Amino acid sequence: MLHIVSDLMTADPFAVHHQSTVKEVHDLMREKNIRHIPVIDDQGILKGMLTQKIMVAQVMKIMATYGPNAIERKEKQSIAQDIMATDFASIRPEQSLSEVAQFFVENRHGCMPVVNEEGKLLGILTSSDFVRLAAALLS
């Protein structure tokens, strides 16, 4: 039976370096069909999160300011740390799933990065993980 975050999380999730270009992030999100990407430093310490919502807002901002033909050029000139969210919650691998599920419900988060005591990224837990768990339990 699954009881703690490490039982359900995706270990070693896709992540980007804080100096990655927004174009690289956008391409990874599209290629891997993912909506949330942790942003890390050289030591793997979590520095921020990039979401599909942030990326869409960035594209809209570029289009409004420079026009649609400038999207790729401007994405290559911007880096992840310039647009990443830094005000997000993270969780620990030993936290109980019931506690984290309640946080998801109350705060309407799509994902939460899983970190150790030093802030190193270990995994990611998404609302989709909970849906898959519910489907398995209902089968």
Side-chain angles (χ1 to χ4, degrees), residues 85-97:
T86 56
D87 59 339
F88 57 88
S90 62
I91 53 179
R92 299 286 168 89
E94 67 277 359
Q95 279 183 261
S96 86
L97 284 174

Side-chain angles (χ1 to χ4, degrees), residues 41-93:
D41 67 10
D42 294 330
Q43 288 74 43
I45 303 298
L46 182 65
K47 294 297 179 187
M49 289 293 296
L50 282 170
T51 65
Q52 186 176 34
K53 185 177 179 180
I54 291 170
M55 298 300 288
V56 168
Q58 180 69 11
V59 167
M60 298 302 288
K61 180 179 170 184
I62 292 170
M63 284 180 54
T65 307
Y66 304 102
N69 296 332
I71 294 171
E72 186 170 342
R73 176 174 47 88
K74 288 296 184 181
E75 282 187 336
K76 288 179 178 177
Q77 295 171 349
S78 302
I79 58 174
Q81 74 180 9
D82 291 342
I83 66 167
M84 68 185 185
T86 56
D87 59 339
F88 57 88
S90 62
I91 53 179
R92 299 286 168 89

Side-chain angles (χ1 to χ4, degrees), residues 3 33 63 67 71 76-77 93 102 104 108-109 112-113 129:
H3 297 288
N33 195 28
M63 284 180 54
I71 294 171
K76 288 179 178 177
Q77 295 171 349
Q102 190 59 42
F104 267 91
R108 301 191 59 170
H109 280 18
M112 295 184 69
D129 293 326

